[in-house]
């Protein structure tokens, strides 16, 4: 039941919860094939010499899979922790600070991983002679 004042002011559901819920489910679904491909890539380079491992990771298709994996996982991580923060942190100022810290942390992790993948992919890592 809404009061006349609430209807006039437009107060009520923010209509953003469903979008957040769907995005969290979509990233969870996209993580399944991406994590499987990540495990296959890591298993394939395990025990190989350094130059061979770098060559595998620098292949454009492999690098693209790793980039998609990093983006999807860090976004899923950010969304999941945001749900926990919003549900269990009750002080408004602390909640805002925690959400900001969560977003910053996810962005830093994603940037560090993407930088590493791109650096290897574009051949900036010196390879020892074979």
């Amino acid at each position: 039941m809404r009061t006349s004042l609430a209807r006039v002011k437009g107060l009520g559901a923010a209509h953003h919860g469903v979008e957040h819920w769907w995005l969290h489910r979509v990233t969870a679904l996209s993580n399944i094939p991406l994590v499987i491909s990540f495990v296959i890539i890591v298993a394939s380079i395990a025990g190989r010499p350094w130059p061979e491992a770098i060559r595998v990771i620098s292949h454009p298709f492999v690098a693209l899979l790793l980039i998609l994996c990093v983006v999807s996982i860090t976004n899923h991580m950010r969304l999941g922790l945001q749900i926990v923060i919003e549900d269990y942190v009750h002080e408004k100022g602390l909640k805002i600070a925690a959400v900001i810290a969560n977003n910053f942390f996810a962005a830093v992790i994603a940037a560090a991983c993407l930088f590493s993948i791109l650096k290897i992919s574009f051949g900036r890592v010196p390879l020892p002679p074979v």
Side-chain angles (χ1 to χ4, degrees), residues 29-50:
L29 193 60
S30 69
N31 284 346
I32 294 169
L34 291 171
V35 168
I36 291 171
S37 65
F38 175 78
V39 169
I40 291 171
I41 291 167
V42 169
S44 71
I45 63 174
R48 286 190 177 189
W50 173 262

Side-chain angles (χ1 to χ4, degrees), residues 11-71:
L11 301 175
H15 300 289
H16 74 279
V18 174
E19 179 184 347
H20 187 104
W21 185 87
W22 270 110
L23 187 57
H24 199 226
R25 286 351 178 239
V26 168
T27 56
L29 193 60
S30 69
N31 284 346
I32 294 169
L34 291 171
V35 168
I36 291 171
S37 65
F38 175 78
V39 169
I40 291 171
I41 291 167
V42 169
S44 71
I45 63 174
R48 286 190 177 189
W50 173 262
E52 285 183 39
I54 295 296
R55 283 188 187 89
V56 168
I57 295 172
S58 65
H59 188 276
F61 182 70
V62 173
L64 181 63
L65 279 175
L66 292 174
I67 288 170
L68 290 173
C69 188
V70 165
V71 170

